[in-house]
Amino acid sequence: MLRLEDYAYALPEEQIAQEPLPRRDASRLLLLDRATGEVGHRSFVDLPDLLDPGDVVVVNDTRVVPARLLGRKRTGGRAEILLLEAMGEATWRALLAHAPAPGGVVDLGDGVSATVLAREGELGTVRISAGAENVCAALARLGRMPLPPYVHRVPGDPRDALDRERYQTVFAREPGAAAAPTAGLHFTPEVLERMTARGIGRTSVTLHVGAGTFLPFRGAEVAEDHLLHEEPFHVPEEAAAAIAAARARGGRVVAVGTTVTRTLETAGEEGGTVRAGAGRTRLFLRPGSRFRVVDALLTNFHLPRSSLLLLVCAFAGRERTLAAYREAVAAGYRFYSYGDAMLVRGNP
């Protein structure tokens, strides 16, 4: 039994990053050795020098949808809808706050509305009506970036335009995410070019991140009582081939983020390769889980008592991970989505 109280740590509120740094690759990078627990401190711009020629870096090319919709019920009260996954052009699974019962309508402005089709607790299904306008265009115009609740914004915040650019990776391509794969936010074209020049490969998979990935455990004291929300993923043939080629030449598979890690381990096979194809995953990697594919993990710092922190602890060890987190706090690292990064490497 994994007690969640054993996966908590203290963090001053002022170390929760509220906006990105002026340059993506200016973030700090904490190094953690899985074998020794040794910690080092670098900058993200140094990443190409910390990897070896022949390694392959796997990124998540999902693109964040402006999925946070604010509106009013026909009764006048406010409602909020966070789109999680498209079920058709106009129908979405969603998180609902103060929304009406099934059959109720939320006016989103400019003639666009959302009808609640079904609801179970905070989860539901909505249909977006945009008249003659394309639904995706309406969402892009009216929706806000679905920042996590610890990043504080007010309506009309002047940082909204910045969020639309920076809460998105430079390699984002496939629309569908309700949250950013935050480990990828640090990459710049310059860092990617230096990786290529050094002989480090790069390939992409897609996992459309749902908000449930980032939520702390609710109403549970042990991790085993928690289920992750299901998320769709796709491993292209070229990604499977790139991973197999890296494995054959003795290179490492470097996962950029917990979403890539969950995708690769869901599709993983004995020998460290992966199956190409699409599917859905609710894989919950936690201490005791086995990693068949991922050799090194680039990740941000995560919320206490969260599934993401448990994944990192599963990969690097609980004591070493929490010790590294304590050192990061003491050294003034910036935490969470817009914060600094951590590279976990070495044989366990």
Side-chain angles (χ1 to χ4, degrees), residues 56-67:
V56 62
V57 172
V58 187
V59 303
N60 185 357
D61 66 3
T62 188
R63 187 169 185 83
V64 181
V65 176

Side-chain angles (χ1 to χ4, degrees), residues 30-327:
L30 184 143
L31 308 181
L32 174 60
D33 190 301
R34 297 169 74 196
T36 66
E38 181 181 357
V39 170
H41 303 279
R42 301 288 289 269
S43 172
F44 190 86
V45 74
D46 299 326
L47 179 67
D49 301 322
L50 300 171
L51 304 177
D52 296 328
D55 290 346
V56 62
V57 172
V58 187
V59 303
N60 185 357
D61 66 3
T62 188
R63 187 169 185 83
V64 181
V65 176
R68 186 179 177 216
L69 302 172
L70 305 178
R72 288 192 176 275
K73 296 175 280 191
R74 296 289 165 86
T75 56
R78 293 183 179 181
E80 181 172 338
I81 298 170
L82 178 62
L83 304 177
L84 296 179
E85 181 182 352
M87 302 174 68
E89 182 182 356
T91 305
W92 292 72
R93 289 180 62 248
L95 278 174
L96 307 174
H98 310 295
V105 176
V106 178
D107 291 318
L108 302 172
D110 294 341
V112 181
S113 63
T115 302
V116 178
L117 303 179
R119 184 171 186 180
E120 183 175 348
E122 61 185 1
L123 288 172
T125 306
V126 299
R127 183 178 62 245
I128 307 297
S129 299
E133 185 178 8
N134 177 274
V135 170
C136 290
L139 294 178
R141 183 168 53 84
L142 296 175
R144 304 179 67 187
M145 292 303 276
L147 300 177
Y150 50 74
V151 177
H152 304 302
R153 295 289 186 269
V154 296
D157 197 297
R159 292 171 291 186
D160 285 350
L162 177 67
D163 293 329
R164 282 184 175 260
E165 175 194 358
R166 296 294 300 277
Y167 195 63
Q168 200 84 265
T169 67
V170 296
F171 35 73
R173 184 177 61 187
E174 301 291 338
T182 57
L185 296 179
H186 308 278
F187 284 89
T188 60
E190 293 79 8
V191 167
L192 296 173
E193 288 169 8
R194 286 179 52 224
M195 284 170 38
T196 300
R198 188 166 156 74
I200 299 162
R202 176 167 62 97
T203 192
S204 301
V205 298
T206 306
L207 183 140
H208 290 316
V209 191
T213 294
F214 296 92
L215 292 175
F217 298 106
R218 293 177 178 174
E221 291 303 320
V222 294
E224 288 84 354
D225 291 342
H226 186 78
L227 291 176
L228 296 186
H229 290 295
E230 194 174 68
E231 294 165 317
F233 72 88
H234 178 232
V235 178
E237 292 281 356
E238 53 266 32
I243 291 168
R247 189 69 70 207
R249 63 179 175 256
R252 294 175 298 183
V253 176
V254 182
V256 177
T258 58
T259 62
V260 169
T261 301
R262 291 177 62 235
T263 299
L264 297 183
E265 295 301 330
T266 298
E269 298 181 321
E270 294 299 329
T273 58
V274 297
R275 302 179 303 277
R280 303 180 68 84
T281 183
R282 62 189 333 154
L283 178 63
F284 183 7
L285 294 166
R286 53 191 187 267
S289 297
R290 180 182 171 211
F291 292 81
R292 295 186 291 185
V293 179
V294 175
D295 301 307
L297 170 62
L298 178 71
T299 183
N300 277 20
F301 294 94
H302 302 295
L303 289 164
R305 298 167 56 97
S306 66
S307 64
L308 304 186
L309 178 58
L310 265 72
L311 184 154
V312 179
C313 288
F315 190 71
R318 172 185 167 273
E319 293 79 8
R320 286 173 178 157
T321 299
L322 292 180
Y325 269 52
R326 289 191 294 271
E327 181 158 341

